[in-house]
Amino acid sequence: MLTYRQAKASDYLEIAKLHVKNWQQHYRGDFSDHFLDVEAELEREEVWKDRLSNPSPNQVVLVAEKDGEICGFACAFLEDDAEHGTLLDNLHVLATVKGKGIGRHLMGMVAQEALKKKPKGKLYLWVLKNNTSAMAFYERLGGVNFETVAGNDIGDQEVLKCRVTWDSLKELARW
């Protein structure tokens, strides 16, 4: 059975492990093997422990569970940017359950939260340019590649990342 809920502080290890697993599957070549295989786990554990034990007031973290285990999560910062609105900072789903609507449903839940905060709210996210499957997924959900920039705010190498935006969340919120 699949359920959705707000994340709890005690979820940080499961979320961190899922996050690293997805990075290892999708970001190999963008980040060094050393970072992905050695450093990422501790780095993500620290990030998620802090995010879930000391959440910022505009943070929303949602998880999808299948048979009691976290199989997907989304983390957003409501109204994070004056121009682009809510930042969907993370959306990750286990490869074994991809294609079952979990990512779409989590995005819909984030869109609903964003609309509660601001009825005409917008949404944006950053995705690595080389993550073509994620880009295709976001485009199917109405996202538009607003810009592509070089950055080194995550990982250990400079990467090209795309800002994908939604100027209206009504359709996305229906999922």
Side-chain angles (χ1 to χ4, degrees):
M1 186 167 127
L2 194 59
T3 58
Y4 297 88
R5 63 172 173 80
Q6 296 279 338
K8 304 176 291 202
S10 59
D11 292 328
Y12 84 93
L13 274 176
E14 261 191 283
I15 289 173
K17 286 184 189 320
L18 172 53
H19 199 162
V20 170
K21 190 178 288 189
N22 269 15
W23 275 6
Q24 289 170 335
Q25 291 170 339
H26 298 286
Y27 292 171
R28 201 146 309 264
D30 285 314
F31 300 158
S32 74
D33 288 347
H34 178 78
F35 175 77
L36 289 171
D37 297 333
V38 178
E39 298 174 19
E41 189 171 342
L42 181 58
E43 189 266 350
R44 289 290 95 186
E45 282 179 15
E46 290 174 0
V47 164
W48 286 107
K49 185 174 186 179
D50 182 57
R51 280 188 181 181
L52 294 176
S53 58
N54 303 301
S56 68
N58 66 331
Q59 176 181 290
V60 175
V61 182
L62 305 164
V63 297
E65 285 184 314
K66 185 173 186 212
D67 302 324
E69 292 189 20
I70 294 174
C71 61
F73 73 91
C75 176
F77 296 92
L78 303 174
E79 288 307 304
D80 179 72
D81 183 273
E83 181 181 354
H84 299 289
T86 292
L87 168 63
L88 178 58
D89 195 42
N90 304 101
L91 178 67
H92 294 279
V93 176
L94 276 177
T96 55
V97 294
K98 276 196 177 165
K100 299 190 184 314
I102 295 168
R104 178 179 294 145
H105 191 77
L106 286 166
M107 284 193 69
M109 292 173 71
V110 167
Q112 291 167 14
E113 291 295 321
L115 289 172
K116 284 181 204 171
K117 180 88 171 163
K118 187 173 181 182
K120 293 193 184 288
K122 299 177 181 184
L123 179 78
Y124 75 103
L125 57 83
W126 292 100
V127 62
L128 297 191
K129 184 178 181 187
N130 289 338
N131 192 347
T132 54
S133 63
M135 285 294 292
F137 171 74
Y138 297 131
E139 288 170 359
R140 283 194 304 277
L141 295 181
V144 174
N145 185 355
F146 181 82
E147 64 182 331
T148 302
V149 300
N152 61 354
D153 53 321
I154 59 170
D156 62 342
Q157 300 175 165
E158 186 173 85
V159 293
L160 287 178
K161 57 185 187 172
C162 303
R163 184 193 306 252
V164 178
T165 61
W166 285 261
D167 285 339
S168 172
L169 299 180
K170 288 184 180 150
E171 283 298 314
L172 202 54
R174 290 187 183 152
W175 294 104

